[in-house]
Amino acid sequence: MMEPMEFAPDVTGRPIWRLLLRGLGVYLPGWEMPAGALRVRPGTAAGGFGPPAYLDGDAGFGVQIPGRRRGLEPDREIYVRGRENPSFGIVVAGPAAAIGSRVVDAGALMRFARRLTFEELFDTGDADSVPYAVRGARAVENVVFLDRAAGIGLCAEVDPLTRTAACPLYVRIGDPAQRTVRAYAPAQAVRSHS
């Protein structure tokens, strides 16, 4: 018998949730947004959670990608929060193979997002842009990656206290005819943010 899944309200109040909703609005306008994140336990395949995603304890979700290719240019939007100590968030939409790793976890996704942020902020004709691009890349704390063709997404965040990265959200993008998006969170919150 399948255990009923419940919403994870602790995730929806965090910056990563707001970034996910912004990204879905940009890259999937008119689609039904998730009302919240459904809790899942390791080994659960209920409600769309399952391969290629997996749960890895405190690290949260990861995704296994069948192939990897560098050089693919995904779409991206960068968001900045705060003035004195800005934190950067980036939404990336494109094929997961562009990340360049067969296993995409918080570390791989964060490295990819920081590289894209640096490339976006760096101006080859302006040497003065280097320090800003480096600071911007280091300040990336939230990443949303959406692979519309594969119907999956992964969200990573950096804990403000420990500075460790985890993926507290996995996204399933439904059939284009249904235009629905579902979000999943681990049964145990990956991190508690206050």
Side-chain angles (χ1 to χ4, degrees):
M1 180 175 204
M2 194 178 300
E3 191 176 310
M5 293 175 32
E6 63 183 72
F7 280 107
D10 56 310
V11 177
T12 59
R14 299 189 337 221
I16 192 68
W17 182 260
R18 291 188 295 278
L19 188 63
L20 171 62
L21 295 181
R22 277 189 176 163
L24 292 171
V26 169
Y27 294 110
L28 296 170
W31 285 56
E32 179 187 323
M33 297 292 159
L38 296 168
R39 290 204 186 281
V40 295
R41 292 181 181 6
T44 302
F49 170 71
Y54 61 89
L55 268 171
D56 184 19
D58 290 343
F61 293 99
V63 179
Q64 294 181 354
I65 306 299
R68 57 183 171 190
R69 283 183 27 209
R70 292 207 179 267
L72 300 172
E73 284 299 317
D75 296 327
R76 64 198 85 154
E77 290 287 328
I78 296 175
Y79 299 90
V80 183
R81 285 183 347 154
R83 290 181 186 240
E84 299 209 8
N85 293 316
S87 122
F88 284 65
I90 183 170
V91 178
V92 183
I99 296 172
S101 176
R102 286 175 133 340
V103 176
V104 179
D105 57 10
L109 188 54
M110 214 37 93
R111 283 188 298 278
F112 179 69
R114 288 177 172 156
R115 182 175 57 82
L116 289 179
T117 301
F118 178 85
E119 290 171 1
E120 194 72 24
L121 299 176
F122 174 63
D123 179 357
T124 56
D126 180 11
D128 291 338
S129 71
V130 172
Y132 178 69
V134 168
R135 278 193 311 274
R138 287 182 179 159
V140 171
E141 293 185 346
N142 296 284
V143 182
V144 172
F145 189 89
L146 302 170
D147 184 333
R148 295 169 287 198
I152 60 171
L154 196 61
C155 305
E157 67 183 358
V158 172
D159 184 288
L161 301 175
T162 65
R163 306 305 302 158
T164 58
C167 289
L169 291 167
Y170 171 66
V171 178
R172 288 296 262 190
I173 302 167
D175 183 291
Q178 295 174 345
R179 301 173 69 88
T180 59
V181 178
R182 300 286 176 255
Y184 300 91
Q188 296 281 11
V190 176
R191 282 190 181 58
S192 60
H193 294 289
S194 30

